[in-house]
Amino acid sequence: MGGVNGGEADACGGDGRPTATLLLDDDPSSDAALDVAPESTNVLVVSASRSMREVVEEWRRRAGTLPAALGVITYAEFDRSASAAPSGTPSRKPLSGGDITVTSMSDPADLRRLGTAVTLYLDDWVDTDRETLVYVDALDPFVDANGVESTFQFLHLLVQSVDQSAADVVVRLDPSTTDERTINTYRPLFGRVVDATTTRTLDDDELHALLANGRRRFVLRSLLDQPTLELDRLATRLARWENDIDEPTDTQHTRAYTALASVHLPRLTEAGIVTFDRSAERVRLADGNWSADRLRRYLTAPLDDDG
């Protein structure tokens, strides 16, 4: 798995082992901003407030595509007639438009039933050759419904279950509505904690200086059109653009590739504007405290190129 919300941490450790991440963030739709490869990842979203349609639309908007398999356990569109199979276990409803299924739930206080619903997805996906990510988009409603201790016990079992399935789990907790004592209670359950609220905001002078380079402006224009790109493809596009040819030579491609990997992408990553996954050689726009509209405004303004 890749970076969480701007590349501040990985959802999976560098040795490839599955990990559990506590994401401190005020944006419930951060699942679509995680640095995963959608075409080779199963994603299960657990949401107390977002509907299936909202999850799907957010993935398409931010990632440009849907995961290979997308499951949503939602409490936002409960249908009593379809909520349970005859055995009483949570049932899933397949939807058109891809490998998409939804499980409608009614009571966030029923953590045992939620655990069963998650396990059913993990069991179905365990034999696939794809990675699996479980994303709980807001822990707060479950804490409110069950209390800190019961939610702690649920998270402990969830992390164990996900680990046994060789999957990753990311649980989002809103630090603006959760006291520090509660956050510290949950920290030991997770292999890593990512505080996405610490993303630094670029001031106008910093952003102007960063974008006073033609190659960096080209990268950002490309990512605004297509939020995720392979580094090799981005280098090819850059070589075509700066040499004004359809088929760049190997030397021209290598020059563009090296400049991106060693200079420009690290600069943009440090500023929190892009996420650069070196191991996967993948580049994507990062969610930060900067405005995409503001970025577009700077990209269309005349700037002195710093070379």
Side-chain angles (χ1 to χ4, degrees):
M1 294 293 173
V4 175
N5 202 25
E8 294 184 33
D10 290 339
C12 184
D15 59 0
R17 291 182 56 81
T19 62
T21 301
L22 178 62
L23 175 61
L24 303 178
D25 195 359
D26 57 7
D27 181 4
S29 59
S30 295
D31 53 316
L34 299 178
D35 188 18
V36 301
E39 68 280 358
S40 59
T41 306
N42 306 314
V43 176
L44 173 60
V45 178
V46 179
S47 181
S49 60
R50 288 193 295 162
S51 67
M52 164 61 79
R53 174 175 292 183
E54 289 172 318
V55 172
V56 169
E57 289 179 350
E58 195 64 25
W59 266 93
R60 285 176 172 154
R61 184 180 73 84
R62 291 197 179 192
T65 186
L66 295 179
L70 175 63
V72 178
I73 299 174
T74 175
Y75 295 78
E77 49 188 49
F78 175 62
D79 180 356
R80 188 172 299 276
S81 64
S83 63
S87 63
T89 59
S91 64
R92 286 171 289 176
K93 178 182 178 181
L95 302 180
S96 60
D99 189 351
I100 308 172
T101 54
V102 59
T103 299
S104 297
M105 307 282 277
S106 63
D107 184 8
D110 192 346
L111 293 176
R112 177 173 294 184
R113 186 174 178 81
L114 173 58
T116 299
V118 172
T119 299
L120 289 174
Y121 278 98
L122 293 176
D123 288 347
D124 279 356
W125 290 342
V126 71
D127 292 327
T128 68
D129 58 356
R130 300 188 292 257
E131 294 181 333
T132 293
L133 170 68
V134 177
Y135 177 70
V136 180
D137 74 357
L139 188 63
D140 312 64
F142 300 102
V143 177
D144 293 341
N146 298 277
V148 174
E149 291 303 322
S150 294
T151 305
F152 179 93
Q153 295 172 13
F154 167 75
L155 288 175
H156 179 67
L157 294 175
L158 175 65
V159 169
Q160 283 187 332
S161 179
V162 170
D163 181 71
Q164 291 170 1
S165 299
D168 298 329
V169 59
V170 177
V171 177
R172 187 188 72 87
L173 189 59
D174 188 346
S176 67
T177 59
T178 307
D179 61 83
E180 190 65 26
R181 182 176 181 179
T182 299
I183 294 174
N184 289 335
T185 298
Y186 296 138
R187 281 179 184 270
L189 294 172
F190 297 89
R192 61 189 64 206
V193 178
V194 177
D195 188 351
T197 64
T198 60
T199 303
R200 185 171 63 90
T201 301
L202 297 177
D203 62 32
D204 286 347
D205 289 341
E206 290 175 311
L207 189 55
H208 187 283
L210 188 69
L211 299 185
N213 176 277
R215 284 173 167 171
R216 289 196 285 272
R217 293 198 300 273
F218 179 86
V219 168
L220 295 177
R221 288 193 187 101
S222 298
L223 292 175
L224 284 170
D225 291 336
Q226 186 174 343
T228 302
L229 284 169
E230 301 298 321
L231 176 57
D232 186 73
R233 179 175 297 182
L234 181 60
T236 299
R237 292 183 180 182
L238 176 60
R240 288 172 179 167
W241 171 74
E242 62 184 3
N243 293 285
D244 194 23
I245 55 176
D246 292 332
E247 295 296 332
T249 65
D250 289 344
T251 299
Q252 291 167 335
H253 177 274
T254 299
R255 185 184 301 120
Y257 184 101
T258 302
L260 289 173
S262 61
V263 179
H264 302 297
L265 294 179
R267 285 283 303 275
L268 292 169
T269 299
E270 182 181 358
I273 296 180
V274 307
T275 295
F276 177 32
D277 185 339
R278 286 186 178 274
S279 60
E281 296 194 335
R282 187 181 303 113
V283 187
R284 62 169 292 132
L285 280 178
D287 279 3
N289 293 331
W290 51 274
S291 164
D293 290 338
R294 176 177 167 222
L295 181 58
R296 288 190 179 94
R297 186 170 67 250
Y298 271 89
L299 289 174
T300 57
L303 295 172
D304 295 330
D305 198 317
D306 67 2

